[in-house]
Every structure is written in C-alpha cells, then in structure tokens.
Amino acid sequence: MMLSLHRNVNEQMQLPITDVKGIGEETASLLHDMGIYNVMNLLEYFPYRYEDYEMKPLTEVKHEERVTVEGQVHSMPVVQFFGKKKSKLTCRVLVDKYLITVTCFNRPYLKTKLTLGETVVVTGKWDQHRQMITASELTIGPYKTQKDIEPIYSVKGKMTVKGMRRFIGLALQQHGGRIEEFLPVAFLSQYKLLSRSEAIYYIHNPKSQAHLKQARRRLVYEEFLLFQLKMQALRKVQRESAIGIAKTIDEDLLRAFVQALPFPLTGAQSRVVSEMMKDLTSPYRMNRLLQGDVGSGKTVVAAIGLYASVLAGYQGALMVPTEILAEQHFESLVSLFEPFNVKVELLTSSVKGARRRDILARLQDGEVNILVGTHALIQDEVNFKRLGFVITDEQHRFGVAQRRVLREKGEHADVLFMTATPIPRTLAITAFGEMDVSIIDEMPAGRKKIETYWAKETMLERVLDFVEKELAKGRQAYVICPLIEESEKLDVQNAIDVHSMLTFHFQNKYNVGLMHGRLSAAEKEEVMKEFSRNEVQLLVSTTVVEVGVNVPNATMMVIYDAERFGLSQLHQLRGRVGRGSEQSYCILLADPKSEVGKERMRIMTETNDGFVLSEKDLELRGPGDFFGSKQSGLPVFKIADMVHDYRALETARADAARLVDEDAFWKEEEYKVLREYLHASGVFQGEKLD
Ligand code: ADP
Ligand code: MG
C-alpha cells in the first residue's frame, strides 16, 4: 500500500476529518471504519467507478449496457404490488422513434406524477431483446447536463455513496485549495499533466470522459512514480550501503570447470554468467533475479556461480521449493562437481538423525562446500561457516520473509533468485523493482518445439492411441490429472481414478506409475526413480510434477482439464517434456466453455515462448492471480492498474531511475517534497517496504 503523502508533505491535510465542517463524530467514526482518518485520506479516497449519464441514441447501446435516454410518456403507468413493500411500475416511453418499455421498482408513487406526453429522463440497463429499460433513475422533466458522470465509491457499514459524495465535496470546498503540488514542474509540462489539486478535484467531479481521463492520467503517473522512486532508491541504497564481499576468483580454474561441461554454454547463458561474475567480484551485494524459461539451462548457470563462490573460499546454498527438485539438483550438482573436489550435500526434512547431525556439523566446519535443500535450509539449526552465495530456484514460491531469512544466514551473502516462470515485465518491475534482472532468452541448440494439440475429452481414445505410438517407440509419457481447485484430496482421487483406468488400458504392455501430493517423500522419490529408470513408462500425476523434474526420455504429455490451469502453469507442466533430442508432444484435453478458455488453449498450441504466454496470462487473468498466491509481493495501487497503465509504469520507472541517479534530485529544492516522501517511506532505514 502507498504511504500517504500527507504525513510529511502537506501538514494541513493531516487535520482530522472532523475539521471538515459538516462532518461530525458519528460520520467520522463511519469514515474511520473505512480507513479514512484525515482530510487527505478523504480526498484520496477515489471512486472505483462512475455512473455515466451522458445521453446516447439507443441504436448505439449494446444489450445489457447502462444507458440514459430522454423520452415522452406514452402509456399510463401500471403498478403491480408484491407483498407490502415491493412493487413494479411499468410504462411505455417514446424515445426518438422507438417505443420502449420502462420498468421501475419500488417507486409506486411515480404513477400519480407521470402524465401522458410528459418528458422524462430514464437511466438503467438496456434489454435489447425486449426493448426495455430497467430504470435505476427516473426523473420528470428534460435532460439536464450537470450530472453527466457520477462517481461511485465503495462504502462500508452505514455509509452511503451519496454520503461519500457529500463529504468529499465538503472537504474539497474547505480544503481543496491547499492541496500542494509535489511533482517537479518540468514533469507536469513535459507530460502535460494536470496539477495535483486539479486532478483530485476532477477525479471526484468529472465533467466528461475526456476530463476524467486527464485526471486519472495524472494520478496514475504520480502513484507509479512514487512507487518506483521507492524501488529505485532502495536499489541504490542496497547497492551502495550493503557491503558485499568482493570475491577473488581464480578465473583459470573457473574456465576449466566451464570447459568440462558436457556442452558449450548458449550465448544467453554466457551473458548471464558474466553478469553474475561481475556481481560476485564487486564489493556490492548481489541482489539479482534470473529469469529463464523451462529448459533454458539455469541449473548450470547456478552451478558455475556456486563453483566461483567455492573458489573464492565461500560456501554456497541452493534452495528449492520441493524435495524432488532438491534431489534432482543435488544429483546434477554432485555429478558436475565430482571431478572438482567440491563437497555437495542435500538437506531436506527427510534427512534425519545421525546423517543430519553429520551434515550440519560439517557445514559448520566448512567441510561442506555447497548445500542443496528445501526450506529446511532456513531453519535455525542450520549454520554455515562462511556462506557467500545463496541461490533460490523458483523463488516466487517462497514468501518475502523466507527469502530474507535465507539471505541473513550469511553475512553480506550474494543472492540470486531464479525463476522459470517468465514474469511479464510490468510485474517484474513492480514486484522485483529493486533487483537487477538477468534473462536467459535463448534455448540450447537442437531443442525442438513441443508440438501441442488441443483435443476434446471425447477424443480420449484417439489420444491414447497416440500415446501408445510414442510408448511403442520406447518413449515415456506423463498424464497430468484434473485439477480441482482448493482440494488436494479431490485432485488425488482424480489421479487415482485416471491411474486405474490407464493401468487397465495398457495392461500387459506398459507400467503405469502414480504420483501425488499425499505420497510420502520416500514414496514420491521411489516413483520418480522408477520413471527416470524407465521401469515405469507412463506417469500419472497431479501437478506436483510441475517443477524441475527432468526425464529426457519422456516425450509425451497429456493434460486433463487443461482449461483449469493458467497459461503459465500449463507452460511449466509442458516443460517436463521436450528435454531430450526427440520430438515431443503435449495434448491438452479441454472443453472450455468461455471464449477466454478457448483463447488460452489456442495460444498454447501456437507458442512455446514462455514470455509470450506470461504476457497473455497476465492479460487474461490480471495481476492479482498471476502468481497464484498471497505472497506475490505485488503492491496494491489506489488508482493505477499495472496491466492497463503499463506505459505509464514504464515511463515512471525510467524517470525514477534517472532521478535517483542525479545529484540534483538529492540537493535541489524542487525535489524536496519527493525526498521527504522517500525518507518517510523507510527506504533509508532498511525498513521492510510494503
Ligand atoms: P531449467 O532452466 O529449466 O532449470 P535445466 O538447467 O534443467 O533447465 O536444463 C535443461 C536441460 O538442458 C538439462 O538437461 C541441461 O543439462 C541441458 N542444458 C543446459 N544448458 C545447455 C546447453 N548450453 N547446451 C545443451 N544443453 C544444455
Ligand atoms: Mg530448473
């Protein structure tokens, strides 16, 4: 949430709301319940939508749209009563050349007031099929222009929208003149923005849509700029004050390691490696986000970084969200590091007793160079001797707090957050705005596009024939089970059902394995091992298989009820295949009802590009749902919308980045208010930002 500016900027505006004449204690307490304590809070309580009373010809109005029309009463109104209080008034009204029906609920007294031929103005929802308006407003007399657009506020308790309009009106009248500008004048003229006081006035009292747009534009820019200033200042502070360790790395040894890899790095991997090296060797502390699509080869980049850190005499940690993923990373790191005399250990909640004690002791002694694990890594008992580099994979699954704890395990440790969920730029610069970002935007050579098809569930037989053909070639397949929201239990049941169906279908030919969240870690591991050794050819699974699992011989994936998954999640799932050199396939079984659902299936069949999909996902689902969890780290904006206002966001970010780098910003009078804002926001105190 944004810090209110009034605290430091506009002292008069801190006046309690009871200082507005016309707001008494009773009203004040209603307003308090809505989080409104002072005059500025009230003025910054923006409408969430508007009622538009601008007249439009009926021919331009769509079915179910709200409309305001003027017409003449053409039939005597009829009133029907339902019980004591409820009634419906119906009459015919001539609007231009059209005779329409107007109904109006619970205002029976209008019957005696309406006379034939009289002019009325009606606002309500247009039913095109029945040529009828269900009126929320019906006034006698010709259309008056003064209330074209009415603000609608969200209210709580006994407060009403009309009340809010009145109280905000009073506050504007009595205190509106004191709203101070705090954007530099140069910005106002460059972007042709309204002043702050104008914008606030017009956002509550727009005279036209164009007008409203101007007011909104100003306030959106302001909100983004303040937010980005905070982010950019934080980034600067972290860079300059958080002393990192300038690691000394023997480049020849590091090069030898890279050359010993089974493949040459892609251009993108090399670029990211050098970005990472620059951070590691610099006295600043690394705070970097690494984005790379599934299969783009992040693990090896992580390994190079960890090795570099070990060469410099520091321990490294790799934290991942699931045990399976931890085990896989562990295995690949062990095989990469074996020839280089680097000691890697695995720590998860399944590692217990003497073994655990042993690992912890050797970690503290510095004998263990690299520790891989789940969130078990951030428990109190885990102590490193000299932790210098921390990497988290799939970091968006960790909460902000967990990330911080991990970082604090080492003194001044460099931190790299890796994610395979390509995060749309608008979200990345909002949720991770204070970080540096590296992107692996290139796939290792020779990767084939995963052919993706969309099939109706009635085509299951044919789909299974297709699967069988692949299995006959010696390949393996995943079958991802229907996802039932909020119910792991039902997901599991589904997986069990599909598993028994397929076991029957492929009996005496292929082995079918089953994987779901209710299995113990050991059971999961066993199933995964059987699958990776090709003892099981077909793996039925819930989405637990989503992250990181690597079985290159699996070339086929069938996803049940694909319409229930978000695009990014489908893409993640699909990334389990296409890991070898053979052509891979993904079949989406789906009968989406909505257009959006169909659109999603189409997009999946058309592109393999995670960034394209993530942008689409954001567009179709909105920012709130994008990360699929509360811990998204996304701020709540009062008026701005990250998706629709992304251009303003980009502009504000660039402006903020430029400002914090300029000496003038930290010295000159015209930026004083913004500086005060930053100070008040806690950026310089190392406070957690919300
Ligand atoms: P992700 O980015 O999804 O974590 P991984 O690191 O698991 O991807 O890499 C996917 C696969 O690609 C692995 O089998 C890995 O060995 C392989 N790989 C990584 N980099 C390259 C490369 N430069 N050339 C060829 N194969 C590579
Ligand atoms: Mg990975």
Side-chain angles (χ1 to χ4, degrees), residues 139-154:
T139 50
I140 298 170
Y143 180 76
K144 293 200 205 74
T145 50
Q146 65 271 52
K147 64 157 193 181
D148 279 357
I149 303 176
E150 277 191 343
I152 309 290
Y153 300 92
S154 75

Side-chain angles (χ1 to χ4, degrees), residues 9-175:
V9 172
N10 227 339
E11 270 182 19
Q12 297 105 313
M13 294 299 181
Q14 286 191 67
L15 298 173
I17 31 178
T18 43
D19 276 29
V20 176
K21 280 189 217 86
I23 296 183
E25 290 299 335
E26 209 173 312
T27 304
S29 110
L30 292 178
L31 291 171
H32 287 174
D33 291 344
M34 293 164 60
I36 300 169
Y37 298 96
N38 58 41
V39 175
M40 205 62 225
N41 293 157
L42 186 58
L43 293 180
E44 288 184 346
Y45 198 84
F46 300 135
Y48 75 95
R49 68 176 186 88
Y50 296 84
E51 199 75 88
D52 191 342
Y53 293 98
E54 242 170 324
M55 280 210 293
K56 254 197 213 171
L58 276 175
T59 44
E60 285 174 21
V61 182
K62 293 190 202 80
H63 181 57
E64 304 235 294
E65 210 172 67
R66 291 187 67 87
V67 61
T68 295
V69 294
E70 186 190 85
Q72 283 72 43
V73 178
H74 204 262
S75 72
M76 283 313 289
V78 178
V79 178
Q80 285 172 279
F81 282 91
F82 316 94
K84 259 195 185 152
K85 287 201 176 142
K86 293 191 171 149
S87 69
K88 178 169 126 181
L89 176 141
T90 309
C91 75
R92 308 275 281 163
V93 173
L94 186 69
V95 179
D96 297 330
K97 296 184 286 293
Y98 304 94
L99 198 52
I100 65 166
T101 304
V102 170
T103 63
C104 192
F105 287 92
N106 306 328
R107 264 177 283 175
Y109 52 84
L110 281 174
K111 181 180 156 83
T112 55
K113 300 203 169 158
L114 294 172
T115 52
L116 280 180
E118 182 156 44
T119 297
V120 288
V121 175
V122 177
T123 298
K125 203 199 252 177
W126 173 234
D127 182 332
Q128 191 164 32
H129 312 310
R130 293 152 78 186
Q131 298 280 294
M132 179 172 97
I133 292 177
T134 309
S136 57
E137 301 257 348
L138 196 166
T139 50
I140 298 170
Y143 180 76
K144 293 200 205 74
T145 50
Q146 65 271 52
K147 64 157 193 181
D148 279 357
I149 303 176
E150 277 191 343
I152 309 290
Y153 300 92
S154 75
V155 286
K156 264 197 207 149
K158 287 201 182 125
M159 182 55 72
T160 61
V161 173
K162 281 202 173 125
M164 281 309 287
R165 285 182 199 149
R166 201 163 74 79
F167 300 127
I168 289 172
L170 290 172
L172 276 170
Q173 243 171 43
Q174 297 167 32
H175 300 277

Side-chain angles (χ1 to χ4, degrees), residues 24 38 103 151 163 181 204 228 230-231 264 274 296 322 354 388 406 415 475 502 512 548 552 573 617 630 640 667 681:
N38 58 41
T103 63
E181 184 54 66
H204 295 294
Q228 284 294 337
K230 233 164 46 175
M231 288 302 214
S274 60
S296 63
T322 65
L406 181 65
V415 185
R475 315 258 192 278
L502 290 175
V512 186
L573 287 166
D617 211 17
K630 305 188 263 311
K667 283 192 205 125
S681 73

Side-chain angles (χ1 to χ4, degrees), residues 298-299 325 329 393-394 548 579:
K298 292 184 294 300
T299 313
L325 193 55
H329 273 310
D393 198 6
E394 292 308 322
R579 306 201 134 223

Side-chain angles (χ1 to χ4, degrees), residues 263-266 269 293-300 444 447 550 579:
F263 40 72
L265 295 182
T266 62
Q269 282 171 320
D293 212 340
V294 226
S296 63
K298 292 184 294 300
T299 313
V300 72
R447 283 286 159 75
N550 192 18
R579 306 201 134 223

